[in-house]
Amino acid sequence: MDKVAYRLDLTGELSQIHNTFNVSRLLKCLADDSVVVLLDDIQVDVERSITILDKKTKTLRNKVVGLVMVQWQHQKGSKWTWEPDDEMREHYPKLFAATEFEDEV
């Protein structure tokens, strides 16, 4: 069986970055030793979920989907988006422990 993905072993400060890449996304690199970027010069803007602001349900053709409004924090400020309730509960269960919406959706 051929390998189709590479998994990088990232250091602690880069652990928030997705570490698996499909080989189809990789390109040949011809290194130029005169161009060097130091790790300290690289800034990664990682979004972090802060809190759940609201909840609602959306009726689709054949089902009802629970949505939650999530506030995200990153280096340039904050924003909010509507996300599927079940996915947010799976990936960020601690957010639901502090909200009053847990039993409603």
Side-chain angles (χ1 to χ4, degrees):
M1 180 184 287
D2 293 333
K3 296 212 180 234
V4 295
Y6 284 100
R7 180 167 287 143
L8 303 177
D9 186 19
L10 300 173
T11 62
E13 64 187 35
L14 298 176
S15 64
Q16 297 292 324
I17 298 173
H18 186 67
N19 66 345
T20 305
F21 299 90
N22 191 292
V23 294
S24 67
R25 308 294 281 165
L26 301 176
L27 302 173
K28 183 176 181 179
C29 176
L30 301 174
D32 182 359
D33 293 335
S34 66
V35 180
V36 176
V37 177
L38 299 175
L39 184 59
D40 293 339
D41 294 339
I42 299 173
Q43 294 182 358
V44 179
D45 187 11
V46 178
E47 283 188 337
R48 291 184 176 87
S49 57
I50 298 176
T51 188
I52 303 229
L53 301 173
D54 199 2
K55 66 106 185 156
K56 69 178 180 181
T57 56
K58 184 171 187 172
T59 304
L60 304 176
R61 290 184 185 183
N62 298 326
K63 64 180 179 177
V64 176
V65 177
L67 299 171
V68 289
M69 183 190 296
V70 181
Q71 183 179 6
W72 302 93
Q73 180 67 45
H74 52 93
Q75 287 180 345
K76 296 178 183 174
S78 66
K79 67 177 183 177
W80 59 267
T81 59
W82 287 100
E83 303 292 338
D85 179 79
D86 55 345
E87 289 180 21
M88 291 301 295
R89 284 181 189 272
E90 179 181 339
H91 296 292
Y92 305 98
K94 292 181 181 178
L95 288 178
F96 290 88
T99 65
E100 60 190 54
F101 307 118
E102 183 171 6
D103 296 327
E104 297 179 21
V105 176

